[in-house]
Short mmCIF file of all heavy atoms in Angstrom, two decimals:
data_model
loop_
_atom_site.label_atom_id
_atom_site.label_comp_id
_atom_site.label_asym_id
_atom_site.label_seq_id
_atom_site.Cartn_x
_atom_site.Cartn_y
_atom_site.Cartn_z
N ASN L 889 5.58 6.52 1.91
CA ASN L 889 5.17 7.86 1.38
C ASN L 889 5.60 8.02 -0.18
O ASN L 889 6.45 7.37 -0.52
CB ASN L 889 5.84 8.97 2.19
CG ASN L 889 5.43 8.87 3.61
OD1 ASN L 889 4.24 9.17 3.89
ND2 ASN L 889 6.28 8.71 4.58
N LYS L 890 4.86 9.08 -0.78
CA LYS L 890 5.34 9.41 -2.06
C LYS L 890 6.95 9.75 -2.12
O LYS L 890 7.38 10.41 -1.27
CB LYS L 890 4.55 10.51 -2.60
CG LYS L 890 4.88 11.04 -4.02
CD LYS L 890 3.92 12.15 -4.43
CE LYS L 890 4.36 12.68 -5.83
NZ LYS L 890 3.69 13.78 -6.15
N GLY L 891 7.56 9.18 -3.13
CA GLY L 891 9.02 9.37 -3.16
C GLY L 891 9.93 8.38 -2.42
O GLY L 891 11.04 8.25 -2.63
N ASP L 892 9.28 7.49 -1.63
CA ASP L 892 10.00 6.46 -1.04
C ASP L 892 10.55 5.35 -2.00
O ASP L 892 9.83 4.92 -2.90
CB ASP L 892 9.30 5.66 0.12
CG ASP L 892 8.93 6.63 1.25
OD1 ASP L 892 9.59 7.74 1.40
OD2 ASP L 892 8.24 6.14 2.26
N ARG L 893 11.72 4.84 -1.63
CA ARG L 893 12.22 3.65 -2.50
C ARG L 893 11.70 2.49 -1.71
O ARG L 893 11.87 2.28 -0.50
CB ARG L 893 13.64 3.71 -2.62
CG ARG L 893 14.35 2.70 -3.26
CD ARG L 893 14.60 3.18 -4.57
NE ARG L 893 15.19 2.04 -5.44
CZ ARG L 893 14.70 1.50 -6.53
NH1 ARG L 893 13.79 2.04 -7.10
NH2 ARG L 893 15.36 0.48 -7.00
N ILE L 894 11.25 1.56 -2.54
CA ILE L 894 10.75 0.15 -1.81
C ILE L 894 11.21 -0.92 -2.39
O ILE L 894 11.64 -0.89 -3.67
CB ILE L 894 9.18 0.17 -1.89
CG1 ILE L 894 8.53 0.37 -3.36
CG2 ILE L 894 8.52 1.29 -1.04
CD1 ILE L 894 7.00 0.16 -3.50
N ASP L 895 11.21 -2.03 -1.85
CA ASP L 895 11.70 -3.40 -2.23
C ASP L 895 10.65 -4.28 -2.49
O ASP L 895 9.44 -4.20 -1.95
CB ASP L 895 12.81 -3.97 -1.18
CG ASP L 895 13.94 -3.01 -1.05
OD1 ASP L 895 14.55 -2.64 -2.05
OD2 ASP L 895 14.37 -2.92 0.15
N VAL L 896 10.93 -5.43 -3.14
CA VAL L 896 9.99 -6.45 -3.37
C VAL L 896 9.59 -7.01 -2.10
O VAL L 896 10.45 -7.23 -1.14
CB VAL L 896 10.60 -7.59 -4.26
CG1 VAL L 896 9.64 -8.79 -4.38
CG2 VAL L 896 10.80 -7.01 -5.75
N ASP L 897 8.40 -7.36 -1.74
CA ASP L 897 7.85 -8.00 -0.57
C ASP L 897 7.71 -7.04 0.73
O ASP L 897 7.50 -7.42 1.67
CB ASP L 897 8.50 -9.29 -0.14
CG ASP L 897 8.24 -10.36 -1.08
OD1 ASP L 897 7.08 -10.41 -1.80
OD2 ASP L 897 9.10 -11.17 -1.44
N GLN L 898 8.14 -5.74 0.40
CA GLN L 898 8.11 -4.72 1.48
C GLN L 898 6.59 -4.41 1.74
O GLN L 898 5.86 -4.03 0.84
CB GLN L 898 8.90 -3.53 1.23
CG GLN L 898 8.85 -2.45 2.26
CD GLN L 898 9.62 -1.17 1.91
OE1 GLN L 898 10.50 -1.29 1.04
NE2 GLN L 898 9.20 -0.12 2.38
N PRO L 899 6.07 -4.46 3.02
CA PRO L 899 4.76 -4.07 3.21
C PRO L 899 4.56 -2.53 3.00
O PRO L 899 5.45 -1.80 3.46
CB PRO L 899 4.50 -4.37 4.69
CG PRO L 899 5.53 -5.35 5.00
CD PRO L 899 6.76 -5.00 4.20
N VAL L 900 3.42 -2.21 2.27
CA VAL L 900 3.41 -0.88 1.77
C VAL L 900 2.13 -0.15 2.40
O VAL L 900 2.10 1.06 2.52
CB VAL L 900 3.47 -0.60 0.36
CG1 VAL L 900 4.82 -1.00 -0.22
CG2 VAL L 900 2.32 -1.50 -0.41
N VAL L 901 1.11 -1.05 2.68
CA VAL L 901 -0.16 -0.45 3.24
C VAL L 901 -0.85 -1.48 4.07
O VAL L 901 -0.76 -2.66 3.92
CB VAL L 901 -1.05 -0.01 2.06
CG1 VAL L 901 -1.49 -1.25 1.18
CG2 VAL L 901 -2.18 0.75 2.54
N GLU L 902 -1.54 -0.96 5.03
CA GLU L 902 -2.38 -1.79 5.85
C GLU L 902 -3.94 -1.48 5.57
O GLU L 902 -4.29 -0.34 5.37
CB GLU L 902 -2.30 -1.31 7.46
CG GLU L 902 -0.99 -1.84 8.03
CD GLU L 902 -0.79 -1.48 9.50
OE1 GLU L 902 -1.70 -0.74 10.04
OE2 GLU L 902 0.29 -1.84 9.99
N VAL L 903 -4.68 -2.59 5.36
CA VAL L 903 -6.08 -2.53 5.03
C VAL L 903 -6.91 -3.34 5.96
O VAL L 903 -6.44 -4.27 6.40
CB VAL L 903 -6.34 -2.98 3.47
CG1 VAL L 903 -5.55 -1.98 2.48
CG2 VAL L 903 -5.87 -4.39 3.28
N ALA L 904 -8.20 -2.97 5.99
CA ALA L 904 -9.00 -3.72 6.98
C ALA L 904 -10.44 -4.06 6.16
O ALA L 904 -10.87 -3.23 5.35
CB ALA L 904 -9.32 -2.93 8.21
N THR L 905 -10.81 -5.25 6.42
CA THR L 905 -12.22 -5.67 5.98
C THR L 905 -12.93 -6.05 7.16
O THR L 905 -12.52 -6.07 8.31
CB THR L 905 -12.09 -6.77 4.92
OG1 THR L 905 -11.86 -8.02 5.73
CG2 THR L 905 -11.14 -6.55 3.80
N ASP L 906 -14.32 -6.45 6.88
CA ASP L 906 -15.07 -6.92 8.09
C ASP L 906 -14.53 -8.28 8.63
O ASP L 906 -14.97 -8.72 9.60
CB ASP L 906 -16.52 -6.98 7.62
CG ASP L 906 -16.89 -7.71 6.48
OD1 ASP L 906 -15.91 -8.10 5.67
OD2 ASP L 906 -18.01 -8.17 6.24
N LYS L 907 -13.74 -8.93 7.87
CA LYS L 907 -13.25 -10.27 8.20
C LYS L 907 -11.80 -10.29 8.66
O LYS L 907 -11.35 -11.16 9.35
CB LYS L 907 -13.57 -11.28 7.04
CG LYS L 907 -14.91 -11.41 6.70
CD LYS L 907 -15.05 -12.44 5.39
CE LYS L 907 -16.52 -12.53 5.18
NZ LYS L 907 -16.82 -13.51 4.16
N VAL L 908 -10.96 -9.56 8.05
CA VAL L 908 -9.53 -9.60 8.25
C VAL L 908 -8.78 -8.23 8.04
O VAL L 908 -9.22 -7.42 7.33
CB VAL L 908 -8.88 -10.56 7.24
CG1 VAL L 908 -8.88 -10.13 5.86
CG2 VAL L 908 -7.39 -11.01 7.57
N ASP L 909 -7.65 -8.04 8.87
CA ASP L 909 -6.88 -6.94 8.68
C ASP L 909 -5.56 -7.44 8.03
O ASP L 909 -5.07 -8.50 8.46
CB ASP L 909 -6.52 -6.21 10.02
CG ASP L 909 -7.73 -5.48 10.58
OD1 ASP L 909 -8.73 -5.48 9.92
OD2 ASP L 909 -7.63 -5.15 11.72
N SER L 910 -5.02 -6.70 7.10
CA SER L 910 -3.86 -7.32 6.28
C SER L 910 -2.87 -6.23 5.93
O SER L 910 -3.23 -5.02 5.87
CB SER L 910 -4.29 -7.88 4.97
OG SER L 910 -5.14 -8.95 5.15
N GLU L 911 -1.59 -6.62 5.78
CA GLU L 911 -0.57 -5.70 5.16
C GLU L 911 -0.38 -6.20 3.72
O GLU L 911 -0.30 -7.37 3.52
CB GLU L 911 0.79 -5.83 5.89
CG GLU L 911 0.76 -5.12 7.21
CD GLU L 911 2.19 -5.26 7.86
OE1 GLU L 911 3.09 -6.05 7.49
OE2 GLU L 911 2.43 -4.53 8.83
N ILE L 912 -0.40 -5.26 2.84
CA ILE L 912 -0.17 -5.68 1.43
C ILE L 912 1.30 -5.42 1.08
O ILE L 912 1.69 -4.23 1.21
CB ILE L 912 -1.12 -4.90 0.44
CG1 ILE L 912 -2.55 -5.18 0.91
CG2 ILE L 912 -0.73 -5.13 -0.99
CD1 ILE L 912 -3.65 -4.47 0.10
N PRO L 913 1.98 -6.31 0.55
CA PRO L 913 3.46 -6.07 0.20
C PRO L 913 3.50 -5.66 -1.27
O PRO L 913 2.59 -5.83 -2.05
CB PRO L 913 4.00 -7.40 0.31
CG PRO L 913 2.88 -8.38 0.00
CD PRO L 913 1.62 -7.69 0.48
N SER L 914 4.62 -5.07 -1.66
CA SER L 914 4.83 -4.70 -2.97
C SER L 914 5.44 -5.87 -3.84
O SER L 914 6.28 -6.49 -3.29
CB SER L 914 5.84 -3.48 -3.03
OG SER L 914 6.27 -3.25 -4.37
N PRO L 915 4.81 -6.04 -4.97
CA PRO L 915 5.37 -7.17 -5.76
C PRO L 915 6.58 -6.71 -6.66
O PRO L 915 7.21 -7.67 -7.21
CB PRO L 915 4.24 -7.55 -6.69
CG PRO L 915 3.44 -6.21 -6.81
CD PRO L 915 3.57 -5.51 -5.45
N VAL L 916 6.92 -5.52 -6.59
CA VAL L 916 8.00 -4.99 -7.40
C VAL L 916 8.90 -4.07 -6.58
O VAL L 916 8.41 -3.47 -5.52
CB VAL L 916 7.49 -4.31 -8.67
CG1 VAL L 916 6.75 -5.21 -9.51
CG2 VAL L 916 6.68 -3.05 -8.30
N GLU L 917 10.09 -3.77 -7.01
CA GLU L 917 10.84 -2.65 -6.33
C GLU L 917 10.80 -1.51 -7.24
O GLU L 917 10.42 -1.50 -8.38
CB GLU L 917 12.37 -3.08 -6.15
CG GLU L 917 13.12 -3.20 -7.46
CD GLU L 917 14.65 -3.59 -7.23
OE1 GLU L 917 14.85 -4.55 -6.39
OE2 GLU L 917 15.33 -2.95 -7.76
N GLY L 918 10.91 -0.31 -6.62
CA GLY L 918 10.98 0.94 -7.28
C GLY L 918 10.60 2.18 -6.34
O GLY L 918 11.00 2.02 -5.14
N THR L 919 10.18 3.19 -6.94
CA THR L 919 9.90 4.40 -6.25
C THR L 919 8.44 4.64 -6.16
O THR L 919 7.73 4.61 -7.18
CB THR L 919 10.70 5.57 -6.69
OG1 THR L 919 12.12 5.26 -6.75
CG2 THR L 919 10.41 6.84 -6.03
N VAL L 920 7.93 5.03 -5.03
CA VAL L 920 6.40 5.34 -5.02
C VAL L 920 6.15 6.63 -5.73
O VAL L 920 6.70 7.76 -5.28
CB VAL L 920 6.01 5.45 -3.44
CG1 VAL L 920 4.50 5.84 -3.44
CG2 VAL L 920 6.24 4.11 -2.87
N LEU L 921 5.32 6.66 -6.67
CA LEU L 921 4.98 7.82 -7.46
C LEU L 921 3.64 8.44 -6.90
O LEU L 921 3.56 9.73 -6.92
CB LEU L 921 4.72 7.50 -8.87
CG LEU L 921 5.97 7.24 -9.86
CD1 LEU L 921 5.50 7.08 -11.29
CD2 LEU L 921 6.88 8.41 -9.67
N LYS L 922 2.62 7.58 -6.45
CA LYS L 922 1.39 8.17 -6.12
C LYS L 922 0.75 7.08 -5.26
O LYS L 922 0.73 5.93 -5.45
CB LYS L 922 0.64 8.45 -7.31
CG LYS L 922 -0.76 9.00 -7.00
CD LYS L 922 -1.48 9.37 -8.35
CE LYS L 922 -2.90 10.03 -8.00
NZ LYS L 922 -3.59 10.35 -9.15
N LEU L 923 0.19 7.70 -4.17
CA LEU L 923 -0.74 7.03 -3.36
C LEU L 923 -2.04 7.39 -3.69
O LEU L 923 -2.56 8.50 -3.54
CB LEU L 923 -0.55 7.26 -1.74
CG LEU L 923 0.94 7.03 -1.32
CD1 LEU L 923 1.05 7.60 0.10
CD2 LEU L 923 1.32 5.67 -1.48
N VAL L 924 -2.86 6.58 -4.36
CA VAL L 924 -4.11 6.82 -5.11
C VAL L 924 -5.26 7.11 -3.95
O VAL L 924 -6.11 7.96 -4.24
CB VAL L 924 -4.55 5.74 -5.98
CG1 VAL L 924 -5.85 5.99 -6.67
CG2 VAL L 924 -3.42 5.52 -6.99
N HIS L 925 -5.30 6.34 -2.84
CA HIS L 925 -6.37 6.45 -1.97
C HIS L 925 -5.72 6.92 -0.60
O HIS L 925 -4.56 6.58 -0.16
CB HIS L 925 -6.97 5.11 -1.62
CG HIS L 925 -7.87 4.58 -2.76
ND1 HIS L 925 -9.14 5.12 -3.05
CD2 HIS L 925 -7.58 3.81 -3.86
CE1 HIS L 925 -9.57 4.58 -4.25
NE2 HIS L 925 -8.63 3.85 -4.70
N HIS L 926 -6.47 7.82 0.14
CA HIS L 926 -6.13 8.29 1.39
C HIS L 926 -6.53 7.29 2.48
O HIS L 926 -7.40 6.56 2.28
CB HIS L 926 -6.82 9.75 1.67
CG HIS L 926 -6.35 10.78 0.72
ND1 HIS L 926 -5.09 11.26 0.71
CD2 HIS L 926 -6.97 11.33 -0.29
CE1 HIS L 926 -4.97 12.21 -0.28
NE2 HIS L 926 -6.25 12.24 -0.87
N GLU L 927 -5.92 7.47 3.61
CA GLU L 927 -6.32 6.59 4.81
C GLU L 927 -7.79 6.98 5.11
O GLU L 927 -8.16 7.98 5.05
CB GLU L 927 -5.39 6.96 6.07
CG GLU L 927 -4.01 6.40 5.82
CD GLU L 927 -3.07 6.82 6.90
OE1 GLU L 927 -3.41 7.41 8.04
OE2 GLU L 927 -1.82 6.46 6.89
N GLY L 928 -8.55 5.87 5.29
CA GLY L 928 -9.92 5.99 5.54
C GLY L 928 -10.89 5.79 4.32
O GLY L 928 -11.95 5.48 4.49
N GLU L 929 -10.27 5.72 3.22
CA GLU L 929 -10.92 5.60 1.96
C GLU L 929 -11.17 4.02 1.65
O GLU L 929 -10.48 3.28 2.19
CB GLU L 929 -10.22 6.21 0.67
CG GLU L 929 -10.35 7.72 0.74
CD GLU L 929 -9.74 8.38 -0.48
OE1 GLU L 929 -8.92 7.78 -1.17
OE2 GLU L 929 -10.16 9.45 -0.62
N ILE L 930 -12.10 3.72 0.90
CA ILE L 930 -12.57 2.29 0.72
C ILE L 930 -12.43 1.92 -0.76
O ILE L 930 -13.43 2.02 -1.50
CB ILE L 930 -13.90 2.10 1.29
CG1 ILE L 930 -13.98 2.52 2.70
CG2 ILE L 930 -14.31 0.58 1.21
CD1 ILE L 930 -15.38 2.52 3.35
N PRO L 931 -11.25 1.43 -1.27
CA PRO L 931 -11.27 1.00 -2.63
C PRO L 931 -11.79 -0.50 -2.72
O PRO L 931 -11.94 -1.14 -1.81
CB PRO L 931 -9.58 1.04 -3.00
CG PRO L 931 -9.07 0.85 -1.64
CD PRO L 931 -9.98 1.48 -0.67
N LYS L 932 -12.23 -0.57 -4.00
CA LYS L 932 -12.73 -2.14 -4.29
C LYS L 932 -11.56 -2.91 -4.71
O LYS L 932 -10.58 -2.44 -5.25
CB LYS L 932 -13.77 -1.81 -5.30
CG LYS L 932 -15.03 -1.11 -4.94
CD LYS L 932 -16.20 -1.40 -5.80
CE LYS L 932 -17.34 -0.52 -5.54
NZ LYS L 932 -17.84 -0.58 -4.11
#
């Protein structure tokens, strides 16, 4: 969530495609400032 402290390699979001479901890890540590897309939205 916004404001959470996260570590390197911590899974931050689950995404789904027509071929695979995946967890995306954070490549950096820090604090979440903004979640740009809501659940159900489809970023490119």
